[in-house]
């Protein structure tokens, strides 16, 4: 069983930055960030392999967001720069019970409770 706790969300103006953190208890393999806006389905943001050597991003965030992990701290991060109002959503971290990257929510086995990110124009 893996428990995940996200933090770092908040209110920021367009063009600003935030860094999200996801602390995991238990063994983790591939991890990822997803987001869900009101009335929309949960969508993929970024994923990172077990070793941290491979990453993958949604086109909408490529070049603005950076995913990373520090396994010594059991923590995954999402650095978000040049934020836009359309980035407003609840952000969730997820863990897979496999080393391969995942880009769909159904591929993830554990989820955190989410952290709200609001970008004002």
């Amino acid at each position: 069983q893996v428990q995940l706790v996200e933090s770092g969300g908040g209110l920021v103006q367009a063009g600003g930055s935030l860094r999200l953190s996801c602390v995991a208890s238990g063994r983790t393999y591939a991890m990822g960030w997803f987001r869900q806006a009101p009335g929309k389905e949960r969508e993929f943001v970024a994923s990172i392999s077990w070793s941290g050597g491979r990453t993958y991003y949604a086109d909408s965030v490529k070049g603005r967001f950076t995913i990373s992990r520090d396994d010594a701290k059991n923590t995954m991060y999402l650095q978000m720069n040049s934020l836009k109002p359309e980035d407003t959503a609840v952000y969730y971290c997820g863990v897979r019970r496999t080393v391969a990257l995942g880009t769909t929510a159904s591929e993830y086995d554990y989820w955190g409770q989410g952290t709200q990110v609001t970008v004002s124009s």
Side-chain angles (χ1 to χ4, degrees):
Q1 188 74 12
V2 177
Q3 293 184 329
L4 304 170
V5 178
E6 302 99 332
S7 63
L11 173 64
V12 65
Q13 289 188 332
S17 298
L18 284 173
R19 188 176 81 154
L20 305 183
S21 298
C22 172
V23 179
S25 64
R27 190 166 187 174
T28 60
Y29 294 95
M31 301 180 73
W33 288 99
F34 286 72
R35 65 188 181 187
Q36 189 166 16
K40 295 187 177 182
E41 293 186 354
R42 191 169 297 191
E43 67 170 352
F44 170 75
V45 174
S47 60
I48 188 165
S49 63
W50 177 42
S51 66
R54 294 178 59 212
T55 58
Y56 189 75
Y57 296 92
D59 288 342
S60 59
V61 306
K62 202 174 294 182
R64 299 189 298 122
F65 291 9
T66 302
I67 189 172
S68 62
R69 63 190 295 168
D70 183 343
D71 289 332
K73 298 181 179 179
N74 279 351
T75 303
M76 176 177 66
Y77 304 98
L78 186 68
Q79 178 66 43
M80 305 186 295
N81 299 329
S82 302
L83 282 161
K84 304 175 181 180
E86 51 263 46
D87 295 318
T88 295
V90 177
Y91 283 70
Y92 297 89
C93 67
V95 168
R96 301 192 71 198
R97 288 180 293 187
T98 178
V99 301
L101 294 176
T103 60
T104 61
S106 62
E107 295 178 291
Y108 285 75
D109 301 292
Y110 303 102
W111 294 97
Q113 83 290 347
T115 185
Q116 176 71 47
V117 171
T118 303
V119 184
S120 63
S121 57

